[in-house]
Amino acid sequence: MNDLQKDILTSAVFITGLIGFISGEFIISSTLFASAAIASNVNLNRKRSKVSQF
């Protein structure tokens, strides 16, 4: 999976969480927000570690 696909997947999960929050599904939306935040941080840390290795 390249970086663009990971970013699209993370944003899709975030938007799905936002829609779930608006519709009142607070537990599901909280889980989706948390997974989007974790995925975003993991991807950001991987990008930083690749840059610092070279």
Side-chain angles (χ1 to χ4, degrees):
M1 216 181 217
N2 62 17
D3 290 335
L4 179 62
Q5 291 173 336
K6 289 178 186 177
D7 290 342
I8 291 172
L9 181 63
T10 302
S11 61
V13 169
F14 179 79
I15 290 171
T16 305
L18 186 63
I19 292 170
F21 183 78
I22 291 171
S23 67
E25 298 291 334
F26 299 116
I27 295 172
I28 294 171
S29 65
S30 298
T31 305
L32 290 171
F33 283 137
S35 63
I38 290 170
S40 177
N41 285 332
V42 167
N43 288 337
L44 186 63
N45 288 335
R46 283 186 184 162
K47 288 177 187 177
R48 285 183 184 168
S49 68
K50 285 181 184 179
V51 171
S52 65
Q53 288 178 355
F54 296 111

